[in-house]
Amino acid sequence: MRSSNTPLILSGLCLLILIACSPDGSALKWLHKTERHWAKLEKEQPEWAEMLDPTALESRLDFLATALTKAQDWTKQPLDPAVKNKVSALSNRLQTAQDHLLSQQKDPCVYNLGLRLQEQFSPDRPFEMSQLEKLQLQLDQAANYYQQARQKLTEPVPAQCDSAIAQHISSITYLREELGKKIMDSNLPKVMSKQLEYKINQSCLYMKDYLAWCRSMAFEARN
């Protein structure tokens, strides 16, 4: 004997299928899939966003370009206003993310190891032993940090090159003077102090190389 609820169940299933296959259903399915994928990429973001390697940067930009084009296509469809608003909200978030990542290809000021370190150390607080290991690791990354910066800056803006030069002059001064003094005043064992002094000097050399590269890029762009 057939259940009296069978027609209702079948009607409900048909309605769900129609919704899923409708433009609204397809748009929501795309939206949720895109949100999940972008959330996964954001979770994999390094502590300093500009430390994305060139391959990862290109991969993210490709994904964002494709997603933004698709979002634009969806907003042209006769969607339910609530669904269209959700697509537009996601599009705005992805556009902001794309602008931020594109700056890694255009703005040399994005890369500044000295400024990053300065953000970590309060000027009115002494250097603490707990910061030692992290600082050493960050200084050790200077060569790779600036090598990748030059690889990713495929369209450096000349005016931003000038700003990066000025900022790096200040950052080198900070590393050698203020941070150097903090370390000297921290009463670290002499071996550790010497090791940190060497790493700071090496980092400053990489920063000087980057500064010179910025000068070269600005000069080429103007001539």
Side-chain angles (χ1 to χ4, degrees):
M1 181 176 177
R2 293 179 64 188
S3 168
S4 59
N5 291 328
T6 300
L8 287 174
I9 293 170
L10 290 174
S11 296
L13 286 172
C14 289
L15 182 61
L16 287 173
I17 291 169
L18 284 171
I19 291 172
C21 295
S22 70
D24 289 337
S26 298
L28 285 172
K29 184 178 178 181
W30 170 84
L31 184 141
H32 293 146
K33 181 180 178 182
T34 303
E35 283 183 324
R36 284 195 301 271
H37 188 73
W38 183 243
K40 181 183 175 185
L41 291 176
E42 285 187 311
K43 193 176 285 189
E44 296 169 356
Q45 196 90 323
E47 181 184 1
W48 299 344
E50 76 273 18
M51 289 190 75
L52 276 173
D53 65 68
T55 302
L57 177 63
E58 285 294 340
S59 176
R60 280 165 168 73
L61 286 172
D62 287 345
F63 168 77
L64 288 169
T66 301
L68 285 166
T69 298
K70 187 63 178 174
Q72 203 171 44
D73 291 342
W74 281 123
T75 56
K76 295 174 183 175
Q77 299 293 321
L79 300 177
D80 180 273
V83 174
K84 189 171 286 192
N85 285 340
K86 287 183 178 181
V87 172
S88 295
L90 176 62
S91 180
N92 289 337
R93 278 172 49 207
L94 297 182
Q95 184 65 63
T96 299
Q98 186 189 56
D99 292 342
H100 185 67
L101 290 178
L102 282 172
S103 69
Q104 294 190 31
Q105 295 182 330
K106 298 178 180 181
D107 186 359
C109 296
V110 165
Y111 308 95
N112 192 328
L113 181 63
L115 185 59
R116 283 297 193 184
L117 295 177
Q118 194 169 4
E119 290 169 353
Q120 291 180 191
F121 300 103
S122 174
D124 54 353
R125 290 182 61 188
F127 183 80
E128 298 174 6
M129 282 292 291
S130 59
Q131 299 170 309
L132 179 62
E133 185 177 353
K134 186 176 182 181
L135 174 60
Q136 287 181 320
L137 287 172
Q138 290 166 336
L139 291 171
D140 287 340
Q141 291 174 339
N144 188 53
Y145 183 88
Y146 283 108
Q147 180 185 25
Q148 289 192 350
R150 288 192 290 269
Q151 289 173 350
K152 289 186 285 183
L153 282 164
T154 52
E155 305 173 63
V157 178
Q160 296 302 98
C161 288
D162 293 335
S163 297
I165 291 164
Q167 289 175 18
H168 272 76
I169 290 171
S170 296
S171 290
I172 291 168
T173 302
Y174 164 75
L175 282 182
R176 285 191 166 157
E177 295 182 8
E178 189 175 325
L179 184 58
K181 187 176 185 305
K182 268 184 185 293
I183 292 166
M184 290 276 291
D185 293 344
S186 63
N187 295 319
L188 288 173
K190 193 171 182 180
V191 174
M192 286 187 182
S193 294
K194 285 289 183 185
Q195 190 178 44
L196 274 176
E197 184 182 356
Y198 173 77
K199 289 177 185 287
I200 286 173
N201 286 333
Q202 286 297 110
S203 297
C204 287
L205 288 177
Y206 293 121
M207 292 167 73
K208 281 184 173 180
D209 285 344
Y210 181 69
L211 187 156
W213 181 84
C214 287
R215 280 201 180 108
S216 173
M217 290 297 101
F219 180 79
E220 286 181 18
R222 294 186 179 107
N223 294 275

